[in-house]
Amino acid sequence: MAPRTPSRGRPPAKIPPAGPSGVSLNRALSKLGLCSRTQGEALIAQGRVRVDGKVVRDAALRVDMNRDRIVVDGVEVVAERKVYVMLNKPRGLVTTRDDPLERDTVYACLEGLDLPFVSPVGRLDKASEGLLLMTNDTRFANRLMDPASHLPKTYHVQVAAVPDETMLDMFRAGTAVDGETLAVKSIELLRSGGRTAWLEIVLDEGKNRHIRRLLAAHGVEVKRLIRVAIGRLPLGDLAKGMARHLTPEELALLAG
């Protein structure tokens, strides 16, 4: 996705203050919903950004988004409406906008939708599937990702084994992997057949490749990993690769 075109004539929305020193210019462009920070750096380096009438080429310049007039390509940048999107991520897409390896990204699921710039709330790795939230509301995203919130995330995981209760207890107890203690909030056997089983795993923290690393430490291979809920918000029947706006009722599920 390219940076959106700045809109003309819309009254600017008030942005919560970011502290006495403001925010960096490239971050301001991202928070205002124009583009990613990386894309903002490129716009700034190309001399396409003015602050209070002056061309700025320093992406680290601190600006006040409520007072400073930021213009890109001659058009003032104002805050977009807040949007909250859920999508059902297919396997094989990376959760990023700017991928240096030029792999397909989750933004392919948003093509054709009339959306401002949105960012993923957390990540699902390339091989993982399921519920992913995207928004341009950085406060909302930061609250959901804050480790102190202990927001539970529920996964259905197919494994190449049929764990018994002893092994499930080992997962519950936690395991030291690469200097980190990886544990689950809960784990239950959903069903099994032949040499595979489906587990329901709930995490209240999200370390890098948390479930895959934990199970691999016990010699258990993950065949599929699907996130089916974030907090009290379920994935539901949203089709694979599809995206839609959250309803007010769904936003309320994430509020508390």
Side-chain angles (χ1 to χ4, degrees), residues 70-245:
I70 302 173
V71 173
V72 176
D73 294 337
V75 182
E76 184 172 2
V77 183
V78 296
E80 283 282 354
R81 72 191 189 282
K82 299 301 183 187
V83 297
Y84 309 89
V85 174
M86 66 184 298
L87 68 87
N88 186 347
K89 176 191 175 296
R91 187 188 304 197
L93 301 182
V94 293
T95 309
T96 185
R97 174 178 287 271
D98 303 304
D99 182 55
L101 301 179
E102 298 184 351
R103 295 170 294 181
D104 291 334
T105 78
V106 293
Y107 286 88
C109 300
L110 305 182
E111 291 178 0
L113 298 179
D114 181 20
L115 293 173
F117 173 81
V118 292
S119 296
V121 181
R123 291 181 180 271
L124 284 172
D125 65 42
K126 182 180 178 182
S128 298
E129 311 165 54
L131 179 57
L132 182 68
L133 300 179
M134 302 185 77
T135 185
N136 60 350
D137 185 341
T138 54
R139 283 194 163 192
F140 170 83
N142 290 339
R143 178 174 61 81
L144 294 188
M145 291 189 292
D146 186 350
S149 71
H150 295 292
L151 182 70
K153 298 177 181 66
T154 306
Y155 302 82
H156 286 176
V157 184
Q158 185 186 34
V159 296
V162 181
D164 57 19
E165 196 61 31
T166 299
M167 179 171 284
L168 295 180
D169 284 339
M170 292 170 60
F171 295 143
R172 295 183 185 108
T175 302
V177 180
D178 300 328
E180 292 183 300
T181 299
L182 302 179
V184 301
K185 182 178 181 181
S186 67
I187 182 169
E188 302 296 337
L189 178 65
L190 291 176
R191 60 186 181 275
S192 62
R195 298 180 180 179
T196 66
W198 281 92
L199 308 174
E200 180 172 273
I201 299 177
V202 179
L203 303 180
D204 59 3
E205 58 180 353
K207 296 175 181 175
N208 183 41
R209 297 175 61 83
H210 191 129
I211 293 174
R212 295 181 188 278
R213 293 165 60 209
L214 172 60
L215 270 60
H218 295 278
V220 177
E221 176 192 357
V222 172
K223 298 183 72 67
R224 290 186 68 187
L225 190 154
I226 307 168
R227 184 155 65 195
V228 298
I230 296 176
R232 295 185 293 152
L233 175 68
L235 174 61
D237 58 2
L238 184 63
K240 190 80 68 181
M242 299 301 292
R244 66 168 177 81
H245 292 272

Side-chain angles (χ1 to χ4, degrees), residues 239-255:
K240 190 80 68 181
M242 299 301 292
R244 66 168 177 81
H245 292 272
L246 293 178
T247 66
E249 293 76 16
E250 289 170 332
L251 281 171
L253 293 176
L254 293 168

